[in-house]
Amino acid sequence: MSDVRIDIADGVAVVTLDRPERRNAFTAAMGRALGRAYRDLNADDDVRVIVLTGAAPAFCAGADLGGGATTFEKPDSAAFSASPVDPPAFALRKPVIAAVNGHAIGIGLTLAMQADIRLVADAARYAIPQVRLGVVPDAMAHWTVAKVAGMSVAADILLSGRTFDGPEAVRLGLATRCLPAADVLPAALAMAADMAANVAPMSAALSKRLLWDTAIHGYDPTRVAELETELHLRVMGTPDAAEGMRARLGRRKPAWSARLSSEWEDLPQF
């Protein structure tokens, strides 16, 4: 996993795309390593929040174009997938924050779009330019961009392949906040640390699951209300529900006890 570095502290796992000499250009090996990292961290009860970032100065410059004109030759393998990271970040049980601390081009940006929250660098360049290279956007971008920012924004970004900066990414609804590049990762870590300390892991996992399942399956408000009721009944009366109130009344940090690794299987199937 030399292309992907993992650092864990205080419930926060920082996953770093680590090919700085190539501006973290994406390779098949990096995709496999990122998928393994996601699976391992998803199963680790000591990890409550994941931060995805890139080794400075870029987040990910896109696919490694070292093959020149042959980069996008038709692959021989039937195993080829345009979504090379399995599972995607939105399928994990932990919140995933993309600390987009520099340029994010092509799959660099489409992978960030699979995260739950995105913070971006103000002066960096962003684009999903595949249509300008004779191919098409990847990593489920036709779905994630449209769900996160809307159909009009998706058409603008995906069909033009144009480049834009951090402030425009926020205006378009592709990111939550825009900061100087040096401040992006610290801001993401501060957000992750707060969530790791104060948010019940089971509650976060259930809320994330319902949020993304609603996007995937197109639940109407009535169905969402039914599922919210099911999830309330799942957590009400549990030790964490009592601990949350005790911690609030005692003005202290909660000590959560639910373990996703052993308790998630009993959850209702949506």
Side-chain angles (χ1 to χ4, degrees):
M1 295 181 66
S2 59
D3 292 342
V4 174
R5 187 174 75 249
I6 302 172
D7 300 285
I8 302 174
D10 300 322
V12 177
V14 179
V15 179
T16 304
L17 306 179
D18 196 20
R19 299 183 71 215
E21 74 285 354
R22 297 287 295 168
R23 293 182 178 266
N24 308 318
F26 189 88
T27 65
M30 179 182 283
R32 290 190 294 270
L34 184 56
R36 287 196 300 272
Y38 280 168
R39 289 191 294 273
D40 290 346
L41 296 172
N42 198 45
D44 188 344
D45 286 316
D46 291 331
V47 173
R48 295 182 175 178
V49 184
I50 298 169
V51 174
L52 176 66
T53 193
F59 178 76
C60 175
D64 193 321
L65 303 180
T70 67
T71 298
F72 295 119
E73 282 191 345
K74 192 170 184 177
D76 294 329
S77 173
F80 168 78
S81 173
S83 293
V85 177
D86 182 27
F90 60 75
L92 306 181
R93 295 187 294 253
K94 321 293 175 73
V96 180
I97 303 170
V100 187
N101 55 319
H103 303 321
I105 307 297
I107 197 167
L109 184 53
T110 58
L111 286 178
M113 292 305 302
Q114 295 182 351
D116 304 301
I117 301 166
R118 280 158 297 283
L119 308 183
V120 298
D122 51 10
R125 292 183 291 114
Y126 305 100
I128 303 176
Q130 282 89 328
V131 292
R132 297 188 178 216
L133 299 173
V135 287
V136 294
D138 48 28
M140 309 181 201
H142 295 86
W143 179 74
T144 57
V145 178
K147 286 297 182 182
V148 169
M151 187 68 175
S152 294
V153 171
D156 175 4
I157 298 305
L158 301 183
L159 303 185
S160 72
R162 67 181 182 86
T163 300
F164 49 96
D165 60 12
E168 185 171 6
V170 174
R171 288 196 300 272
L172 291 171
L174 298 168
T176 303
R177 295 171 62 190
C178 174
L179 301 156
D183 296 339
V184 172
L185 182 56
L189 290 175
M191 179 183 296
D194 174 69
M195 295 168 70
N198 295 301
V199 174
M202 184 64 74
S203 297
L206 291 170
S207 184
K208 174 173 176 170
R209 171 78 174 269
L210 182 53
L211 184 67
W212 283 100
D213 274 11
T214 297
I216 292 167
H217 301 298
Y219 296 145
D220 62 26
T222 299
R223 181 58 177 150
V224 172
E226 292 171 350
L227 292 170
E228 287 177 344
T229 299
E230 284 189 43
L231 298 185
H232 271 84
L233 293 173
R234 174 66 180 81
V235 296
M236 292 172 76
T238 63
D240 277 355
E243 170 62 10
M245 286 306 302
R246 284 195 298 264
R248 174 64 62 89
L249 294 173
R251 299 182 181 274
R252 60 172 175 79
K253 290 185 177 180
W256 308 115
S257 60
R259 298 183 65 83
L260 290 170
S261 62
S262 58
E263 297 178 41
W264 182 262
E265 292 180 355
D266 296 327
L267 297 174
Q269 297 299 305
F270 295 167

